[in-house]
Amino acid sequence: GDSVTQMEGPVTLSEEAFLTINCTYTATGYPSLFWYVQYPGEGLQLLLKATKADDKGSNKGFEATYRKETTSFHLEKGSVQVSDSAVYFCALTAGNMLTFGGGTRLMVKP
Amino acid sequence: EAGVAQSPRYKIIEKRQSVAFWCNPISGHATLYWYQQILGQGPKLLIQFQNNGVVDDSQLPKDRFSAERLKGVDSTLKIQPAKLEDSAVYLCASSLDGLEVGYEQFFGPGTRLTVL
């Protein structure tokens, strides 16, 4: 079945550091890929998405590129802020069901 | 635009008791989802409704879990009887049309259930 694997956290960075959170997937067919973010005390929010190979999703300074050859969708940001502290979930859908990774907690220190 | 509403936000019960959660999706959203998120894991889909019909309930433990969406709007999820391993956050989400790939799912704040 479909699955998503994320790097384990927590990831602790200083403000303005470069962020990479790795995500790889296994799926039959051609999935759409997503990053969701969960801020403390809040619900999951869609951060960005890509629906086909080589697409780049971007939002709020975050980027991820759909790499079919490496089955990856790594999340990057050039300069993180304290307000980016949250849990990040990589997810895919190849039909009408979202399959999530286990989540990566990011902590940004001032 | 109001978001997905869920209640209660927190619930503590003893094992073998029953519990119910309520969800009101975003107005006009045809598709409603219930997810279970165990601490430290990603959300897992329990059931998906399209209007008032069930699209997918393959991962719902039907011996103890039930869900309904009678008028195609709000929904309830029930657990009876609860087990210790049911301790989790129960998330409700909605989308305009879940049968079309790419429609964004909007999530509620969740109900945190603790079973003692």
Side-chain angles (χ1 to χ4, degrees):
Chain A
D2 298 345
S3 67
V4 177
T5 302
Q6 291 180 236
M7 63 188 290
E8 289 194 17
V11 174
T12 303
L13 296 173
S14 297
E15 207 164 23
E16 298 183 2
F18 184 86
L19 168 71
T20 300
I21 300 178
N22 290 337
C23 169
T24 57
Y25 66 90
T26 302
T28 54
Y30 302 95
S32 292
L33 302 174
F34 305 82
W35 277 100
Y36 278 81
V37 59
Q38 189 170 36
Y39 297 104
E42 298 184 18
L44 281 165
Q45 301 173 26
L46 179 64
L47 181 59
L48 53 84
K49 69 179 184 182
T51 57
K52 61 182 187 295
D54 300 324
D55 268 2
K56 177 185 283 188
S58 61
N59 186 24
K60 298 181 180 180
F62 291 89
E63 293 183 340
T65 301
Y66 189 141
R67 301 286 188 200
K68 189 173 178 224
E69 63 276 12
T70 54
T71 61
S72 65
F73 193 54
H74 305 320
L75 182 69
E76 297 182 335
K77 186 174 186 183
S79 176
V80 293
Q81 305 299 313
V82 173
S83 57
D84 294 327
S85 297
V87 181
Y88 293 82
F89 292 91
C90 186
L92 67 81
T93 179
N96 53 31
M97 189 175 85
L98 268 176
T99 299
F100 286 89
T104 303
R105 181 175 298 278
L106 170 65
M107 295 190 294
V108 181
K109 297 184 175 180
Chain B
E1 176 182 89
V4 176
Q6 290 188 246
S7 67
R9 291 294 308 275
Y10 305 91
K11 190 73 178 178
I12 300 174
I13 61 172
E14 295 191 350
K15 60 183 179 183
R16 291 188 288 274
Q17 287 187 319
S18 62
V19 64
F21 313 125
W22 174 82
C23 171
N24 191 36
I26 292 173
S27 177
H29 280 196
T31 310
L32 185 148
Y33 312 79
W34 283 103
Y35 290 86
Q36 181 192 57
Q37 185 178 13
I38 293 173
L39 185 65
Q41 299 180 19
K44 182 186 81 172
L45 180 70
L46 292 175
I47 188 167
Q48 176 183 346
F49 292 94
Q50 181 78 3
N51 296 309
N52 59 353
V54 175
V55 174
D56 186 341
D57 63 356
S58 56
Q59 299 193 79
L60 187 74
K62 298 180 186 64
D63 57 335
R64 298 183 301 106
F65 286 65
S66 64
E68 60 183 14
R69 194 185 183 199
L70 292 176
K71 297 182 179 179
V73 180
D74 56 350
S75 175
T76 55
L77 176 70
K78 297 179 182 178
I79 307 175
Q80 181 179 14
K83 293 185 175 181
L84 296 177
E85 60 261 36
D86 298 331
S87 294
V89 176
Y90 291 85
L91 297 168
C92 180
S94 70
S95 66
L96 274 172
D97 185 347
L99 298 184
E100 290 291 328
V101 175
Y103 273 104
E104 179 180 351
Q105 293 187 25
F106 294 83
F107 285 81
T111 297
R112 182 177 299 277
L113 174 67
T114 302
V115 182
L116 303 176

